[in-house]
Amino acid sequence: MDNSTLKNAKPEVLDSIARRAHYLATQMIWQANHRPDKEKGDPKIGGHPAGCASSLHIMGALHLLVKSGFDHIANKPHASPTDHAYNYLLDNLLKNDLSKLSLEEANQAMHGLRKFTNGDEFVFQSYHSAYDPDQHNFFPSGSVGIPPVEAGYMALAYRYAHEHGYDVPDAHFWAVCGDSEFREGSMYEAVPDFSEREIGNLTWILDYNRQSLDGHRLVNNAILGGTDADRVERTMAANGWEVIQVRHGAKREALFAKKDGETFKTFLEKELTDYDLQALLLVHDPKLLKDSLIKDYPTLKKFLTPIADQDVYEALRDFGGHDMMSLAKAMMKSKESKRKPTIIIAHTLKGWGLKAAAQQGNHSSLPHEDEVEELRAKQGITGDTLYARFEEKSVEGKFLAARGEKILADIKAQNALKAKNQEFFLNKLAEFGDMPSSLEINTKMTSYPHTQWMLGQLTAKLTRISNTSLNESELKAGQKALTANEKPFKLPGELFISMAPDVGTSTNLNPAMDGKIFGAQEVDDIEAELGVKDDKLPDLVPGEDVTDRFLRFEIAEGNVMSCVGAFGKMRDVVGVPIIPLMTVYDFFLKRALDQYFYNLYWKSSFICVGTPSGVTLSPEGAQHGWKSDVQIPNQITWEPYFCQELDWIMVDAIRRHVLNDNVGRSGVLLRLVTRGAEQKDFVKYLSKQARFKVGLEGKLSRAEFPVAGAVNEEEVAAMSEAEMFATVREEVLKGAYFLIDYRGYAGYEPGDNVINIFAMGALVAEAMKASEALLARGIYANVIVVTSSDLLTGIQAHENDYHYLRNELGINADLYLKKAEEISTGDLITVAGRRIPVVSVHDGEAGLLDNLGSIIGVRQECLAVRKHSKCGRPTEIYKYHHLDDASIVEACGKVLSETALEKVMVSEQALGEANQASNKVAHWTDLWPSATHSQKH
């Protein structure tokens, strides 16, 4: 909107539209609470008509005057029906193809607030949602305090994309939040960050109605030195924000212009407390109100005496937040500051236009039916009609039609730009052929590397590739040309951006940081001038060059999580598939779980690396050791052991992101560690498997434990490393693979001496040692490495009934029957039925893998972290938590023995004497003696 549009706008028309929207929002909420299909015991629905009324004119100014179809809005959740009402009036309720809902469908949606739909009808979710027919450029708003932060970081993402040469529209980002919501820590954490990054295309609007869910807000004015609005203004100004107070409407301003009017203005702004104001607003007798003001505030007597009672009554309620023209002017003013964010403090009345206005507890109170009917009658809506637009030929109808079409044209233009960008990036990605499956990091020359180190190698290579020109004549001194295998990573490398909450160096992102900080501040590199720059450390001087692709943060995990979600959403919003990756100490993911859930609900596409993770970070002790092992829809969690696994996983995640092939798993969570591992063990154990032997005839045996008639596996050639990796890579990406596999070995007797050990992450090392120890006791312990619990036993696995675990890995509950060494009578043979039991071990909460046995249908012992940790070396800490190799061996003995005690029950009559002869039940420890168990029994 330009100033001429604002100048030509007619306040009476805007007011008429706002009152219709007010009625529609109130009716929506009332109907949601009075549906005939409500059943006994159903939870309350409630609603927020007072909160909707509070933001009525704020949203009206945005919808009717200020916003474009390219702008984004984060509206406070309790006012979402107001948005729906305006979009209904603008005829901008849309289907996925951007065609408009018919009037019947639109009325159905209005009548379907908080109603379940199977997809055959249009409804509105409780709060703003991607399922709503007016969800274009709206942030999901159910998580209070987070959408305004997301708005800021998406504003940053737009600027980042623009300055890196990508085609994005000119957009402004608006966030309407409540004054109680504004006490959320998530918002204050972001306040200095937004100003320091000079995010000028961001405006927060504070719906300052002085009430919260429970009732009137009580602010300590004496300590704060004024009202909460004053505190907010000082705080935001001190943090580099522009601040605009919209306190008064036209009626107040007219009174201020009268003689001694300044006294009344000072009283309203400086002397009247929020609590006293709310009490005065409950007085509905104009004469009583005026008399009370004169009595309690003698300084007002001279000014108020000649003022009509009704004028005083109306002036007290004439808040600037309900003056659409004043609001629109403030919003336009906020857009003038190009490198500073702005907050507008809009003074409002909670429950405006309702009988519950300013009342305690009005947050979710519903108006009576007669009040809703009164509102309907004032709108001239009669009969059975509940929802109605203005007549097409009316002044309001013409205004809304023109305004709605302009916004819709922008929406379609953004959608066309998105399609154009998608086509561009897909074509660009295919320029050098398919993306290889690996970034080909050589780990063979490194002693005991760990997965966090590998992350640094992968990001460093992507950074180098992105900053290497394809034109070899432009290469800098010492810079190597890209190989054929590297060229397909050129575009992904350019799209890749990393960020961290002050832990970039300690999470191995140094190469991605060095000289590549994206930031607004202009800083002279005085270190270089003084000759004191340490070239071995990252150069952290910020800039906004095209090669700058690292976002540096203070210790603010919530900010980084919101930022990675906003950047990851650029692919779906404007078709620019920026690939954001954040690192954070895994334990501190908990500080950003709310934001993390928001990202997943929002279906953002990003990579979050929690590193180092778990009690494996043993020197840091208890406070850094407990992981947040969560299972949330749209999440895919990975916990690799070998560096090669991480390479495959990272490349696959990047490929899926740029190809938009990660539906249901776009939130990638990587758990890494700083404990080194012998990478040679990967090929060593794979090459011992029968499936990877060439020309194998007969059964195999290990050289250390030869079996008569079997072939020493070392004497049988294995496939090449590349051939084995081609197979195992697919298994790694499906969630698990056999690292140690004794199928095809002599003496391998399922139901007798076979057990499956499932190990994840760093604990694979302990599982390997346990397997070797068990083989020395004649037990064949397969080791299945779990790379993704989500794919193997979690949400994604459940979607296909755990097909990979049960069918492709071949882990099952087959019953192996054999004659029992007990008395048999006549034709009756006593049999024992045994399955292959399971032991799982991982550094994390038991719930990640403790359902393996129940899924398969076998006995399981789950070794996991169940108590607070301590400081110590990993071997000491693993033993403390019973995760070490000795504990795994004991767990295997327990489940093998308990499985051996199982019996097949035919029938009491059929078993006869045999059943009576075997009534003694042994304890499993009798079959697996150990020093510990001997002491107990």
Side-chain angles (χ1 to χ4, degrees):
M1 182 194 73
D2 54 29
N3 290 324
S4 62
T5 304
L6 183 59
K7 185 177 181 180
N8 294 327
K10 297 180 179 179
E12 63 274 13
V13 175
L14 299 174
D15 181 68
S16 175
I17 295 172
R19 290 183 180 278
R20 175 65 62 91
H22 179 237
Y23 157 70
L24 292 172
T26 306
Q27 182 69 271
M28 289 173 72
I29 296 169
W30 198 90
Q31 292 298 330
N33 282 272
H34 295 86
R35 291 200 182 95
D37 60 351
K38 184 176 180 180
E39 298 177 0
K40 290 183 178 179
D42 278 357
K44 77 174 186 70
I45 296 177
H48 310 95
C52 286
S54 177
S55 67
L56 178 70
H57 297 87
I58 298 173
M59 297 312 301
L62 280 172
H63 283 288
L64 303 178
L65 296 172
V66 177
K67 78 164 188 177
S68 76
F70 299 110
D71 289 355
H72 292 251
I73 297 178
N75 187 23
K76 68 177 193 177
H78 301 147
S80 55
T82 305
D83 285 321
H84 303 322
Y86 279 118
N87 282 314
Y88 171 82
L89 292 173
L90 289 163
D91 196 11
N92 272 337
L93 302 183
L94 308 174
K95 300 177 182 178
N96 291 335
D97 63 359
L98 301 187
S99 63
K100 295 185 177 185
L101 269 61
S102 67
L103 180 60
E104 181 182 359
E105 291 170 331
N107 289 338
Q108 180 188 70
M110 297 291 283
H111 201 62
L113 177 65
R114 301 187 178 191
K115 186 177 186 296
F116 178 78
T117 176
N118 58 12
D120 294 334
E121 59 180 336
F122 294 93
V123 301
F124 290 112
Q125 300 294 304
S126 302
Y127 308 119
H128 295 99
S129 164
Y131 298 102
D132 295 335
D134 58 353
Q135 48 81 25
H136 173 78
N137 285 4
F138 266 78
F139 295 87
S141 61
S143 297
V144 176
I146 292 179
V149 179
E150 288 289 356
Y153 284 119
M154 182 157 276
L156 176 63
Y158 264 59
R159 190 172 87 218
Y160 175 90
H162 175 74
E163 296 187 10
H164 281 75
Y166 303 126
D167 194 356
V168 294
D170 181 20
H172 200 83
F173 294 79
W174 309 91
V176 181
C177 49
D179 47 2
S180 185
E181 176 185 6
F182 200 68
R183 293 285 182 121
E184 283 278 359
S186 56
M187 298 185 69
Y188 277 94
E189 189 173 287
V191 163
D193 198 47
F194 289 161
S195 57
E196 288 184 321
R197 295 187 192 278
E198 300 181 16
I199 304 177
N201 54 335
L202 172 68
T203 301
W204 282 359
I205 305 169
L206 188 62
D207 184 355
Y208 187 70
N209 59 37
R210 305 165 182 81
Q211 287 188 273
S212 64
L213 190 147
D214 290 330
H216 301 336
R217 298 184 63 228
L218 294 174
V219 179
N220 194 328
N221 288 29
I223 295 299
L224 294 181
T227 66
D228 203 33
D230 299 327
R231 176 193 64 84
V232 171
E233 178 173 2
R234 294 194 303 269
T235 300
M236 300 302 280
N239 278 279
W241 286 57
E242 301 281 4
V243 183
I244 302 173
Q245 294 257 17
V246 184
R247 298 177 183 270
H248 312 297
K251 292 179 180 178
R252 283 186 179 181
E253 294 290 352
L255 290 180
F256 298 158
K258 292 179 178 293
K259 184 179 180 181
D260 297 322
E262 194 66 28
T263 304
F264 189 44
K265 182 178 182 181
T266 301
F267 164 72
L268 291 173
E269 293 185 1
K270 304 296 181 184
E271 299 173 8
L272 183 62
T273 68
D274 287 351
Y275 181 76
D276 289 347
L277 170 63
Q278 295 296 100
L280 290 169
L281 289 170
L282 295 175
V283 178
H284 295 291
D285 182 337
K287 184 178 186 307
L288 175 61
L289 175 65
K290 178 180 171 180
D291 291 345
S292 298
L293 285 171
I294 292 174
K295 174 177 174 295
D296 295 335
Y297 304 96
T299 56
L300 293 177
K301 182 176 181 180
K302 182 178 179 182
F303 171 72
L304 289 181
T305 298
I307 306 298
D309 298 346
Q310 185 64 29
D311 289 344
V312 175
Y313 179 84
E314 292 178 1
L316 190 69
R317 286 160 172 73
D318 188 31
F319 298 104
H322 296 294
D323 187 320
M324 211 179 290
M325 298 299 288
S326 296
L327 286 166
K329 290 176 183 176
M331 292 173 186
M332 293 302 297
K333 179 71 175 175
S334 76
K335 296 183 70 173
E336 294 177 5
S337 181
K338 300 302 181 184
R339 301 297 278 193
K340 266 191 174 187
T342 301
I343 184 168
I344 297 173
I345 305 173
H347 294 244
T348 59
L349 172 60
K350 192 162 188 176
W352 180 94
L354 297 173
K355 294 177 180 178
Q359 288 184 356
Q360 283 274 36
N362 66 3
H363 181 79
S364 58
S365 64
L366 297 175
H368 292 293
E369 185 176 7
D370 57 355
E371 184 176 2
V372 179
E373 282 301 305
E374 182 181 344
L375 290 174
R376 186 165 78 112
K378 287 181 179 179
Q379 291 301 313
I381 301 173
T382 60
D384 296 330
T385 302
L386 297 177
Y387 310 100
R389 296 180 175 132
F390 289 96
E391 293 292 334
E392 291 183 9
K393 295 182 179 180
S394 66
V395 178
E396 297 91 341
K398 291 178 180 178
F399 175 89
L400 288 165
R403 175 67 177 159
E405 285 304 316
K406 185 178 186 311
I407 293 174
L408 181 58
D410 290 345
I411 293 174
K412 290 180 177 179
Q414 179 176 316
N415 197 62
L417 176 62
K418 174 183 173 181
K420 179 183 128 184
N421 281 334
Q422 287 174 331
E423 182 180 8
F424 168 80
F425 285 107
L426 287 175
N427 291 336
K428 190 77 173 173
L429 189 66
E431 186 176 354
F432 298 105
D434 293 337
M435 190 187 302
S437 61
S438 169
L439 274 163
E440 297 182 346
I441 305 296
N442 186 356
T443 62
K444 295 179 180 178
M445 302 300 292
T446 306
S447 177
Y448 271 72
H450 46 70
T451 48
Q452 184 179 289
W453 171 88
M454 186 63 169
L455 172 72
Q457 299 302 302
L458 293 167
T459 56
K461 189 161 188 178
L462 279 174
T463 301
R464 177 179 65 79
I465 292 172
S466 67
N467 292 330
T468 300
S469 175
L470 292 169
N471 185 345
E472 296 187 16
S473 65
E474 297 177 355
L475 295 178
K476 301 175 183 177
Q479 196 173 33
K480 296 181 180 179
L482 296 181
T483 66
N485 190 68
E486 292 172 338
K487 287 181 180 179
F489 287 105
K490 174 69 172 170
L491 178 64
E494 292 174 346
L495 289 165
F496 184 77
I497 178 172
S498 52
M499 57 192 78
D502 198 40
V503 295
T505 51
S506 58
T507 55
N508 286 72
L509 292 179
N510 299 38
M513 300 167 62
D514 189 20
K516 305 172 185 69
I517 307 297
F518 181 82
Q521 290 175 274
E522 292 295 331
V523 179
D524 292 331
D525 192 358
I526 193 170
E527 286 183 347
E529 293 179 16
L530 295 174
V532 296
K533 185 180 289 293
D534 188 342
D535 293 335
K536 296 180 180 179
L537 298 176
D539 179 0
L540 302 180
V541 177
E544 291 190 335
D545 295 329
V546 72
T547 57
D548 296 332
R549 299 187 184 91
F550 182 88
L551 286 177
R552 192 180 180 207
F553 286 81
E554 303 296 334
I555 303 175
E557 292 85 356
N559 282 351
V560 189
M561 191 66 77
S562 289
C563 187
V564 78
F567 273 71
K569 196 64 178 176
M570 291 291 285
R571 183 193 69 182
D572 299 333
V573 173
V574 289
V576 180
I578 295 172
I579 308 167
L581 176 144
M582 70 170 284
T583 60
V584 59
Y585 284 173
D586 185 81
F587 175 78
F588 298 116
L589 269 172
K590 295 176 177 65
R591 295 182 179 176
L593 279 182
D594 199 358
Q595 290 88 343
Y596 180 65
F597 179 87
Y598 186 97
N599 290 347
L600 295 175
Y601 176 80
W602 199 23
K603 299 180 181 179
S604 180
S605 186
F606 61 95
I607 301 172
C608 176
V609 184
T611 182
S613 69
V615 298
T616 298
L617 181 62
S618 48
E620 298 292 343
Q623 292 193 28
H624 287 70
W626 193 273
K627 290 160 57 185
S628 299
D629 292 326
V630 293
Q631 294 188 43
I632 305 174
N634 206 38
Q635 167 190 277
I636 178 74
T637 305
W638 300 96
E639 195 163 340
Y641 175 70
F642 292 110
C643 290
Q644 184 59 64
E645 297 171 24
L646 178 57
D647 181 9
W648 291 331
I649 290 166
M650 273 279 289
V651 171
D652 183 68
I654 291 170
R655 181 189 64 80
R656 287 177 177 274
H657 175 93
V658 293
L659 293 178
N660 201 1
D661 183 30
N662 55 359
V663 175
R665 53 186 292 174
S666 62
V668 178
L669 177 59
L670 288 169
R671 255 55 191 269
L672 308 181
V673 295
T674 50
R675 190 189 190 201
E678 178 55 82
Q679 302 300 312
K680 295 177 182 178
D681 284 341
F682 194 23
V683 174
K684 168 187 169 182
Y685 282 111
L686 291 179
S687 63
K688 292 180 183 297
Q689 296 183 23
R691 63 173 174 160
F692 292 133
K693 295 296 185 180
V694 179
L696 175 62
E697 295 181 3
K699 298 284 187 176
L700 295 172
S701 69
R702 290 276 298 276
E704 308 95 308
F705 309 102
V707 178
V711 180
N712 180 357
E713 63 85 17
E714 292 180 355
E715 298 175 359
V716 183
M719 296 179 185
S720 68
E721 180 179 299
E723 289 176 303
M724 290 189 293
F725 278 7
T727 298
V728 174
R729 173 184 170 273
E730 296 300 319
E731 297 171 346
V732 165
L733 297 179
K734 289 180 179 179
Y737 67 95
F738 276 89
L739 176 63
I740 298 178
D741 186 357
Y742 288 116
R743 292 174 297 183
Y745 273 67
Y748 184 86
E749 296 291 341
D752 184 18
N753 63 353
V754 177
I755 189 167
N756 290 320
I757 302 174
F758 286 80
M760 184 163 65
L763 273 301
V764 171
E766 304 304 307
M768 287 189 291
K769 288 188 286 186
S771 178
E772 293 290 341
L774 287 165
L775 186 61
R777 299 178 68 158
I779 296 172
Y780 290 86
N782 300 316
V783 175
I784 298 98
V785 176
V786 180
T787 53
S788 173
S789 56
D790 284 329
L791 287 175
L792 190 69
T793 63
I795 292 175
Q796 282 87 356
H798 182 268
E799 290 175 354
N800 60 18
D801 198 26
Y802 309 98
H803 175 82
Y804 181 67
L805 172 64
R806 288 171 163 166
N807 301 104
E808 296 188 49
L809 274 182
I811 309 296
N812 54 54
D814 288 352
L815 185 64
Y816 298 89
L817 298 177
K818 62 184 296 185
K819 182 177 179 180
E821 296 177 357
E822 296 182 8
I823 299 173
S824 298
T825 59
D827 295 332
L828 179 63
I829 298 176
T830 305
V831 296
R834 299 173 184 174
R835 296 176 173 86
I836 302 177
V838 164
V839 167
S840 65
V841 57
H842 66 282
D843 181 357
E845 297 174 15
L848 283 187
L849 294 178
D850 66 355
N851 61 337
L852 271 165
S854 61
I855 294 169
I856 302 166
V858 299
R859 178 71 180 89
Q860 176 190 2
E861 187 73 9
C862 177
L863 304 182
V865 178
R866 292 183 168 89
K867 57 185 176 182
H868 289 297
S869 195
K870 296 182 179 181
C871 290
R873 295 174 59 243
T875 51
E876 297 168 326
I877 294 301
Y878 291 160
K879 184 176 181 179
Y880 174 72
H881 288 285
H882 305 294
L883 304 173
D884 59 318
D885 58 317
S887 297
I888 297 173
V889 169
E890 285 301 301
C892 288
K894 178 181 180 181
V895 293
L896 281 167
S897 300
E898 289 178 342
T899 300
L901 294 174
E902 294 179 3
K903 295 176 181 174
V904 177
M905 306 302 292
V906 180
S907 73
E908 185 175 354
Q909 183 177 358
L911 288 175
E913 295 178 18
N915 186 51
Q916 296 174 15
S918 60
N919 56 9
K920 181 181 179 182
V921 178
H923 191 270
W924 71 268
T925 52
D926 296 334
L927 303 179
W928 188 269
S930 69
T932 303
H933 299 135
S934 297
Q935 292 172 2
K936 289 183 178 180
H937 298 283

